[in-house]
């Protein structure tokens, strides 16, 4: 143990510190930390504004300014390194109306989407949403695609959206992009993308009981027999309980 | 261009660069079985059953005598977070047909299917630790298995599941898993999930490690994000009644030992909510944030084993809890992404694991546990690299990919990895990236039967209590294959919703006067009797990363075990 620690001391320089401002208060924190970790280092017990800690859930939207820089930045607290002189505020969430819909009763058209979210038509193409997106998506283009009737494009452009709400926080047309995109993607997935016939087929085979007898037999077999069968199917052979190739 | 790593790491990078040419055409020998056994025994945490820093026998409770990771023993051998004397159970705030705890894929599926089964949405109450849907489910990338390929069948899938689980799986549960697979996919498709498909709608099926047929269905490399948000949207569209930031801190029982609801804790206002219910479903997911054996983790913030703790205290058995899944390549630098997944595909495309001196030390595609052990050996014997925050790691020589396959190969084939590192100024086509094994999955968990009822050691069900998802054990045996856990949460989440709904329709609402936390008092007594004196209080709910702990890299074993063993009870 001691030996290891010596190695560590030799190899590991002391962390540099950075001063950040959380809700206006200055804190000294090691500069390798994420904004999220820096908050914790400073003693903030996080309940809101955190979820996956890995850039997937969009819970940690953070707004900041930097010293001597007028620009307003938006990033994910879990995916962004602190910088000296950062002034931070966290958005626990961006309030957004989520209309209820029954997908079975909708049509996959942009008219339908606009009927539910009429504010889409007020988009002024300012591109603020795109600039705000910490995922580097192009929400404006997705909104425009919906207006053009191209739901497939909109679904594709918004695929990596983590519903962080940064775009919606800044949109002058008050669009709640991530709910709009969610609707579009579900319409696309359900109605526009062709169905996988082989899945439906296998479901019926299973429901008709085609595999029942073989399964009944299989799960009762001793372990060595199961291992043999596994090696056999892994070698690319068809599954067969009967060495003589007997069939159902 | 400035260097992407601090100078002490750059020195090592230069050694790695210097050996790249000579490693390029290197032929690796697969290590012989005795050697890999030895490696595992020496370095893999699962093989340290007799070292109390890693494993210990449970001293009390239904699974007394079973050996589990020390961190799991710590959460089970802890006093309840709730002091029954502090709670007024006569103030029942919610009376509900069904209480669902947790909103990952399992919880969301349970909610929707209970509703499909005829329980009105307003009669379902949902407790969740963070926001609706924030979970491991949302983070998963790779995909979901189901046996709907042409050359596939439930039998073949079942054989794969058993081989993956080292033949220890609960066989009927594994059967239910595979037989309901295609139905699960069809359901998700009908809800509007966008799968990767061919022009004609056929799924683009991929091969999972350890499988014998192509049966991974994916949604780009955001499978879990896509599926979770579809389920969330459907639940929100049906007006789901969720209490966010209100984790369940204990189950409630009635005089007879049956479960009668849950005690929720509003983390923001620090109030209890008493919920009585006819049926309760636990879907709280895994335990990555316990940092078992000191590992960083791929898991989300609330993955702290809570459901298992609550179930254990009302008498649930636990199974397969002795085996833990570590993924060999979690990011180890920069600090921002420590623990996050660096896909195995990097190694299949030619990246090698290389130590501080620039030596490749293992064939890059040994089984995951062997790869992890080999990395830990290098680190343990002083050939690892330590970052400024004290995280150890090994190089994954990613520039080798373009070197071997031509320029652009990495960016084309590994877009997500490219993005992950370039975001922090590290271009993986030019510089190696630092990795360390990362805690990925809880293989075992709460014991359930085919109806998803939670069972006691004698196999009899605990009345009114159901569970599904990563918090349960049995389906995967000692080890799970990629893509089978998303399948599990949809299949068994559905089943738990249906079973609980059927049960709730028959059951009587527990009487207010019967609600009790007596099982917690009994549990505390048992702890005392076993001489367990500890400050630990569980369920943990959220780990403690405050202050210096944010960067803590200390072990509490006798040898220096692994980095990042956080004291969650600090
Ligand atoms: C990075 C990553 C990649 C993965 N990739 C894949 C993959 O490609 N394919 C695959 O099949 N599997 C994958 N997995 C595994 C898979 O995602 C999980 O096993 C699965 O999603 C677990 O689902 P669950 O519903 O059981 O739990 P989770 O999705 O973890 O949900 C648990 C829920 O319970 C809540 N909760 C926790 N404690 C409490 C409490 N006390 N009270 C109330 N609520 C509580 C949480 O907030 C959360 O909502 C991956 C996992 C990770 C982390
Ligand atoms: S599109 Fe909007 S909600 Fe989605 S990730 Fe970008 S900023 Fe966040
Ligand atoms: S911010 Fe709003 S108005 Fe501006 S481009 Fe984006 S969607 Fe349109
Ligand atoms: S915590 Fe989930 S994106 Fe940051």
């Amino acid at each position: 143990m001691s030996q290891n620690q010596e190695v560590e001391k030799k190899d590991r320089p002391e962390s540099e510190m950075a001063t950040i401002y959380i809700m206006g208060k200055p804190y000294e924190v090691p500069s390798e930390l994420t904004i999220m970790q820096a908050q914790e280092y400073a003693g903030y017990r996080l309940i809101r504004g955190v979820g996956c800690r890995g850039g997937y859930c969009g819970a940690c939207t953070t707004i900041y300014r930097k010293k001597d820089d007028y620009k307003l930045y938006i990033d994910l607290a879990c995916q962004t390194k602190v910088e000296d002189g950062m002034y931070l505020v966290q958005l626990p969430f961006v309030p957004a109306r989520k209309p209820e819909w029954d997908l079975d009763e909708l049509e996959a058209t942009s008219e339908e989407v606009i009927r539910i979210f009429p504010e889409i038509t007020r988009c002024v193409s300012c591109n603020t949403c795109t600039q705000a997106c910490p995922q580097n998506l192009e929400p404006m283009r997705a909104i425009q695609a919906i207006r053009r009737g191209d739901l497939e494009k909109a679904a594709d452009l918004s695929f990596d959206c983590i519903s962080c709400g940064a775009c919606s926080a800044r949109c002058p047309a008050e669009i709640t992009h991530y709910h709009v995109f969610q609707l579009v993607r579900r319409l696309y997935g359900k109605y526009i993308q062709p169905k996988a016939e082989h899945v439906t087929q296998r479901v019926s085979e299973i429901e008709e009981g085609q595999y029942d007898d073989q399964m009944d037999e299989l799960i009762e077999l001793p372990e060595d027999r199961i291992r043999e069968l596994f090696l056999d199917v892994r070698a690319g052979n068809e599954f067969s309980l009967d060495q003589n190739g007997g069939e159902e | 261009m400035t260097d992407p790593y601090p100078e002490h790491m750059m020195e090592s990078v230069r050694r790695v660069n210097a050996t790249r040419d000579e490693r390029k055409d290197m032929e690796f020998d697969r290590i012989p079985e005795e050697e890999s056994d030895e490696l595992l025994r020496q370095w893999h945490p699962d093989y340290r059953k007799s070292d109390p820093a890693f494993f210990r026998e449970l001293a009390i409770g239904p699974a007394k005598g079973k050996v589990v990771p020390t961190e799991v023993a710590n959460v089970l051998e802890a006093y309840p977070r709730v002091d029954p004397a502090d709670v007024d159970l006569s103030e029942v705030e919610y009376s509900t047909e069904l209480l669902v705890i947790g909103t990952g894929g399992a919880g969301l599926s349970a909610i929707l299917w209970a509703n499909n089964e005829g329980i009105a949405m307003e009669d379902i109450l949902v407790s969740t630790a963070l926001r609706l849907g924030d979970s491991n489910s949302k983070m998963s990338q790779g995909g979901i298995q189901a046996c709907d390929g042409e050359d596939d069948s439930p039998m073949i899938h079942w054989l794969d599941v058993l081989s993956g689980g080292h033949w220890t799986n609960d066989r009927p549960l594994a059967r239910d898993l595979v037989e309901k697979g295609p139905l699960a996919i069809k359901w998700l498709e009908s809800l509007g999930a966008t799968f990767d498909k061919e022009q004609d709608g056929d799924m683009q099926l991929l091969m999972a490690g350890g499988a014998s047929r192509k049966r991974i269905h994916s949604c780009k490399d955001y499978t879990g994000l896509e599926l979770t948000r579809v389920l969330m949207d459907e639940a929100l569209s049906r007006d789901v009644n969720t209490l966010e930031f209100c984790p369940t801190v204990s189950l409630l029982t009635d005089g007879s030992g049956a479960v009668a609801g849950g005690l929720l804790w509003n983390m923001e206002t620090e109030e209890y909510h008493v919920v009585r219910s006819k049926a309760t479903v636990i879907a709280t997911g895994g335990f990555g944030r316990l940092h078992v054996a000191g590992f960083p983790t791929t898991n989300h913030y609330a993955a702290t084993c809570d459901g298992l703790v609550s179930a254990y205290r009302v008498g649930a058995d636990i199974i397969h809890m002795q085996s833990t899944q570590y993924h060999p390549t979690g990011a180890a630098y920069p600090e921002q992404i420590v623990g996050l997944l660096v896909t195995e595909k990097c190694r299949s495309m030619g990246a090698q694991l290389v130590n501080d001196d620039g030596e490749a030390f293992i064939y890059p595609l040994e089984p995951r546990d062997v790869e992890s052990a080999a990395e830990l050996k290098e680190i343990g014997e002083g050939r690892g690299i330590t970052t400024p925050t004290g995280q150890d790691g090994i190089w994954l020589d990613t520039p080798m990919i373009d070197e071997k396959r031509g320029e652009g190969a990495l960016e084309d084939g590994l877009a997500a990895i490219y993005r992950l590192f370039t975001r922090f100024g590290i271009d993986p086509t030019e510089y190696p990236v630092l990795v360390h094994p990362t805690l990925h999955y809880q293989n075992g968990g709460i014991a359930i039967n085919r109806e998803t009822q939670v069972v006691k050691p004698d196999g009899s069900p605990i009345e009114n209590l159901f569970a599904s998802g990563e918090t349960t054990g049995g389906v995967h045996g000692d080890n799970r294959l990629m893509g089978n856990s998303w399948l599990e949460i949809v299949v068994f989440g559905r089943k738990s919703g249906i079973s609980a709904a059927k049960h709730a329709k028959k059951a009587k609402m527990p009487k207010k006067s019967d609600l009790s936390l007596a099982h917690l008092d009994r549990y505390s007594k048992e702890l005392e009797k076993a001489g367990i004196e500890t400050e630990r209080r569980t369920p943990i709910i959220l780990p403690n990363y405050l202050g210096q702990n944010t960067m803590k890299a200390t072990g509490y074993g006798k040898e220096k075990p692994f980095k990042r063993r956080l004291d969650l009870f600090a």
Side-chain angles (χ1 to χ4, degrees), chain A residues 122-130 139-140 143-144 167 170-175 177:
Chain A
R122 301 197 323 207
C123 169
V124 294
S125 307
C126 62
N127 216 23
T128 312
C129 48
T130 301
M140 178 179 88
I143 294 288
Q144 297 298 348
C167 52
R170 304 218 63 200
C171 173
E174 279 144 351
I175 296 169
H177 308 69

Side-chain angles (χ1 to χ4, degrees), chain A residues 8 11 40 48 56-57 81 98 101 156 159 161 186 190 193-194 196 202 216 221 233 237, chain B residues 8 131 141 147-148 152 171 175 189-191 195 197 213 220 229 233-234 237 268 336 547 563:
Chain A
E8 237 172 80
D11 279 350
E40 290 169 329
R48 280 191 189 262
Y56 287 91
C57 75
K81 227 170 141 160
K98 153 76 179 94
W101 45 64
D156 188 49
F159 198 82
C161 171
R186 285 188 70 187
K190 188 173 172 75
Q193 211 185 18
R202 185 56 43 82
D216 287 344
L221 293 175
V233 297
N237 298 320
Chain B
H8 80 282
R131 298 183 309 173
Q141 304 164 19
C147 58
D148 49 50
D152 208 354
R171 293 182 178 196
R175 173 182 186 166
E189 193 188 39
S190 76
L191 289 175
F195 286 104
K197 290 179 173 178
R213 295 292 185 273
K220 301 194 182 170
R229 66 192 174 192
D233 187 68
E234 183 61 18
S237 284
E268 290 166 319
Q336 291 86 328
K563 292 290 179 189

Side-chain angles (χ1 to χ4, degrees), chain B residues 258-302:
Chain B
V259 169
L263 184 68
L264 279 51
W265 170 248
N266 183 332
M267 289 195 277
E268 290 166 319
T269 62
E270 310 205 332
E271 285 166 297
Y272 289 116
H273 302 294
V274 177
V275 178
R276 66 173 170 160
S277 63
K278 292 183 180 172
T280 298
V281 176
I282 300 179
T284 50
F287 70 1
R289 292 276 158 194
L290 296 186
H291 295 282
V292 171
F295 281 78
T297 183
T298 57
N299 285 194
H300 82 126
Y301 190 42

Side-chain angles (χ1 to χ4, degrees), chain A residues 8-9 11-17 30-32, chain B residues 388-389 551:
Chain A
E8 237 172 80
K9 281 219 181 77
D11 279 350
R12 206 176 114 204
E14 281 293 299
S15 313
E16 275 175 41
M17 301 299 275
S31 60
E32 298 87 10
Chain B
T389 48
M551 311 171 65

Side-chain angles (χ1 to χ4, degrees), chain B residues 101-107 127-131 133-144 246-248 283-286 298-300 302 304 306-307 341 440-441 468-471 480 482-487 489 539 541:
Chain B
I101 309 172
T103 57
S127 152
T128 197
L130 298 164
R131 298 183 309 173
D134 285 358
S135 60
N136 278 357
S137 298
K138 223 185 217 179
M139 305 184 76
S140 81
Q141 304 164 19
I144 170 168
C246 284
T248 299
T284 50
T298 57
N299 285 194
H300 82 126
T304 50
D306 293 358
L341 264 196
H440 193 50
Y441 189 77
S468 55
E470 191 173 341
T471 189
R480 157 191 80 96
M482 169 198 176
N484 276 340
S485 84
W486 245 99
L487 179 60
I489 62 185
I541 312 290

